[in-house]
Amino acid sequence: MSETASTARRSTIEVRNPADGTVVGAVPNEPAEAVAAKARELRLFQPEWERIGPKGRKRWLLKFQDWILDNTEHIVAVLQSETGKTHLDASSEPPICADMLNYWAGNAEKFLADTHPKMRTPIGVAKKLTTLYRPYPVVGVITPWNFPFFNPGVDGIPALAAGAAVLLKPSEATPLSAAEFVRGWTEIGAPPVLALVTGFGETGTAVVANADFVQFTGSTATGRKVARQCAERLIPYSLELGGKDPALVLADADLDRAASGIVWGGLYNSGQVCTSVERIYVEEPVYDEFLAKLTKTVQGLTQGQDGRRPEFDVGAMATAEQRDIVRRHVDEALAAGARVATGGKPTGVGTFFEPTVLVDVKRSMSCMTEETFGPTLPVVKVADEAEAIRLANDSVYGLSASVWTRDKDRGERVARQLDVGAVNINDALTNTSLCAIPMGGWKQSGVGARHGGASGLLKFCRQQAITVPRIPTQSKELHWYPSSPRKVKFAYGLMRAAAAHGLRRFGITPRAARTESSLR
């Protein structure tokens, strides 16, 4: 029996702590029929959720915020148990979700308000024009294993604030935190417009088959499959996919800050962040000094399995499969001539992989072309700013980047030349939690964006246009049937007069005007 067939037949999914292999929970492997049934139930309650409007929904979203803050310690423990995160890394997810609840609940009414555009044409002036926003009834949210509480929040919260119901499918590797997310919504007594489904790939396929809009976060390969399925159904989607984010260290950078920030930006959550620093380009005059500072900083990190108190800087990889990808990238780089400045191998315990700095890497190596998604920092010496920009753009990915320089104007100038969805100057990962600006990838890093202020909410909505007469109407318009050439000509003449410029407003072209003048 194939592995796919084997997983499809399992009735439950066992969840293990990757740091030590212990079983920490289990969830059902739900078939397509169960997913469809939950989607049908969501559709029963979504109209009332939409009807109560953003003010009514705000009350529930803020109650949910209170629940998250009151249960943070328990949520962090669940996060640690299924991901192997350090205590500090796990502790970031609940407060970020609480902040997002505050943002979307507080701004939804303004963002969803009807708009009334103006047009200076005869038809436009005579009508009141309205654009309104109505949510997609069911939004399917499919999340990865790297941030199993944050990801349901970053996508589910704005969808709920928009008035949609949410069908949430977490990764089968880390479903327990998403279960806590949904449990909190249920415990506060909120309307049943948030449902959890758990399972393998077949369950995710069923989510796409039963949703009206799909938000997917994961690998580029799986994102393509989701896009094809959505296209077949003619439903919209938004994809956040892989990344290979470059950091550009310019010669005028504060090297202490750059080294410290890049270590955090590359090794936070054991490097398992879509926007992790995965390539570092350093201008030649400061290369040696920066590399020494970077290596020393990495060597000073502690790694291990945290309990309920923070002890370590770097935790485990979330899955053995991901650890093996990191090992392959490092081994292939070493075989092709790269060197390890520090780290370079699994620790031999659980899924831990040593924080690693690689030097003498070449642009063709897998550690420079494929998404590593692990605790590695490949460093490349470049001649100047232009080469750094060129190499940074030499990737099929385009999620985000960072630029390190004391000259902020220079940093912004460089940022505007990078083919990525976001650039952090003298910082890393910052944009991922700022709801007011978009978080979206270019090239093979995705389609659409998260966040982005009003657009981050309105993407979960369908636009509807309404026109209403501003002035008293007659029994028929000038251009209606039965046709009257005289009246139609008059109506179209008004439109031309309003739209055209110069003599063309009166039906006279410049050539005709010149011909008439010459005849005189």
Side-chain angles (χ1 to χ4, degrees):
M1 182 167 56
S2 69
E3 184 178 356
T4 301
S6 174
T7 58
R9 293 187 187 184
R10 293 188 211 168
S11 60
T12 60
I13 301 171
E14 201 173 64
V15 183
R16 293 179 177 270
N17 186 328
D20 57 21
T22 58
V23 177
V24 294
V27 295
N29 179 20
E30 299 186 71
E33 310 83 69
V35 177
K38 289 188 177 182
R40 287 194 297 270
E41 186 173 3
L42 289 174
R43 293 184 188 281
L44 295 177
F45 294 97
Q46 185 275 331
E48 176 62 17
W49 179 245
E50 179 182 353
R51 188 198 64 78
I52 66 175
K55 284 186 178 179
R57 296 191 290 270
K58 178 179 181 178
R59 181 170 69 90
W60 289 112
L61 293 170
L62 294 182
K63 284 190 70 172
F64 189 36
Q65 180 194 54
D66 290 341
W67 184 91
I68 290 175
L69 295 174
D70 292 343
N71 289 272
T72 292
E73 187 175 345
H74 172 71
I75 295 167
V76 170
V78 173
L79 279 163
Q80 287 183 262
S81 74
E82 66 176 349
T83 65
K85 290 176 185 277
T86 64
H87 187 278
L88 291 177
D89 283 357
S91 296
S92 69
E93 297 191 41
I96 292 176
C97 284
D99 183 60
M100 290 180 178
L101 280 159
N102 195 56
Y103 180 83
W104 295 117
N107 287 286
E109 185 176 13
K110 175 178 65 176
F111 291 161
L112 294 170
D114 295 354
T115 60
H116 302 286
K118 307 293 185 183
M119 287 191 68
R120 295 186 176 181
T121 64
I123 296 177
V125 170
K127 304 288 185 182
K128 175 187 175 184
L129 308 180
T130 301
T131 302
L132 57 89
Y133 305 92
R134 296 188 54 194
Y136 290 99
V138 175
V139 170
V141 174
I142 302 175
T143 60
W145 41 256
N146 59 336
F147 291 98
F149 194 84
F150 165 84
N151 277 311
V154 74
D155 296 320
I157 291 168
L160 290 168
V166 172
L167 186 61
L168 172 63
K169 193 276 178 190
S171 166
E172 65 273 13
T174 56
L176 304 181
S177 299
E180 291 301 310
F181 189 88
V182 176
R183 181 175 73 85
W185 185 259
T186 303
E187 281 195 357
I188 65 173
V193 289
L194 173 62
L196 177 74
V197 293
T198 53
F200 296 101
E202 296 82 359
T203 306
T205 299
V207 169
V208 179
N210 288 277
D212 304 302
F213 180 102
V214 174
Q215 170 66 56
F216 171 82
T217 305
S219 71
T220 298
T222 305
R224 286 194 179 97
K225 296 177 182 178
V226 171
R228 284 194 291 267
Q229 189 181 355
C230 289
E232 184 67 29
R233 294 192 56 225
L234 294 179
I235 63 169
Y237 56 87
S238 180
L239 310 174
E240 188 197 305
L241 307 177
K244 196 68 184 173
D245 290 7
L248 287 69
V249 182
L250 305 182
D252 63 347
D254 178 337
L255 297 185
D256 289 321
R257 179 175 177 83
S260 179
I262 288 172
V263 167
W264 183 79
L267 304 184
Y268 173 68
N269 199 38
S270 297
Q272 299 167 114
V273 186
C274 300
T275 54
S276 284
V277 175
E278 293 213 3
R279 299 176 288 149
I280 308 169
Y281 300 104
V282 187
E283 284 195 286
E284 185 173 9
V286 295
Y287 175 82
D288 291 336
E289 183 181 358
F290 172 80
L291 179 60
K293 291 178 181 293
L294 182 81
T295 303
K296 182 179 180 181
T297 303
V298 172
Q299 290 172 337
L301 301 178
T302 58
Q303 184 176 35
Q305 183 178 2
D306 268 348
R308 293 297 182 94
R309 297 174 58 186
E311 297 182 54
F312 299 102
D313 298 307
V314 182
M317 306 293 294
T319 69
E321 293 78 10
Q322 194 59 42
R323 176 204 58 202
D324 292 343
I325 290 173
V326 178
R327 175 163 50 189
R328 175 175 65 83
H329 283 190
V330 173
D331 289 348
E332 289 176 353
L334 297 180
R339 293 185 297 109
V340 169
T342 188
K345 61 185 183 300
T347 67
V349 177
T351 57
F352 289 93
F353 195 98
E354 295 175 343
T356 299
V357 176
L358 292 170
V359 297
D360 297 338
V361 294
K362 300 179 178 64
R363 61 193 294 185
S364 60
M365 294 176 178
S366 57
C367 69
M368 297 297 287
T369 59
E370 301 176 18
E371 184 177 37
T372 304
F373 221 61
T376 62
L377 295 169
V379 189
V380 178
K381 182 192 300 184
V382 296
D384 52 26
E385 173 190 302
E387 185 180 16
I389 294 170
R390 178 174 58 81
L391 293 176
N393 287 336
D394 183 23
S395 174
V396 297
Y397 297 108
L399 195 53
S400 68
S402 60
V403 179
W404 303 82
T405 172
R406 294 180 190 272
D407 185 338
K408 295 177 184 178
D409 291 337
R410 183 188 186 192
E412 187 168 342
R413 175 174 54 76
V414 170
R416 291 172 182 270
Q417 299 175 68
L418 298 177
D419 298 334
V420 296
V423 182
N424 297 295
I425 297 173
N426 294 331
D427 208 341
L429 310 183
T430 309
N431 64 295
T432 59
S433 59
L434 298 175
C435 299
I437 56 175
M439 178 189 172
W442 294 8
K443 298 186 279 191
Q444 292 186 24
S445 287
V447 176
R450 289 165 156 173
H451 302 335
S455 63
L457 197 70
L458 298 181
K459 79 174 190 178
F460 296 112
C461 296
R462 301 160 292 178
Q463 297 183 58
Q464 186 175 45
I466 298 176
T467 69
V468 180
R470 288 184 182 275
I471 58 179
T473 57
Q474 300 178 353
S475 58
K476 65 186 291 287
E477 297 291 333
L478 294 176
H479 56 287
W480 287 1
Y481 299 135
S483 299
S484 167
R486 181 177 60 83
K487 292 180 179 179
V488 170
K489 185 177 181 180
F490 176 73
Y492 291 166
L494 288 177
M495 293 177 65
R496 181 185 180 110
H501 298 274
L503 293 175
R504 291 184 180 86
R505 298 178 61 187
F506 307 103
I508 302 173
T509 64
R511 176 179 293 180
R514 287 196 300 271
T515 301
E516 183 179 346
S517 176
S518 65
L519 290 175
R520 292 174 184 168

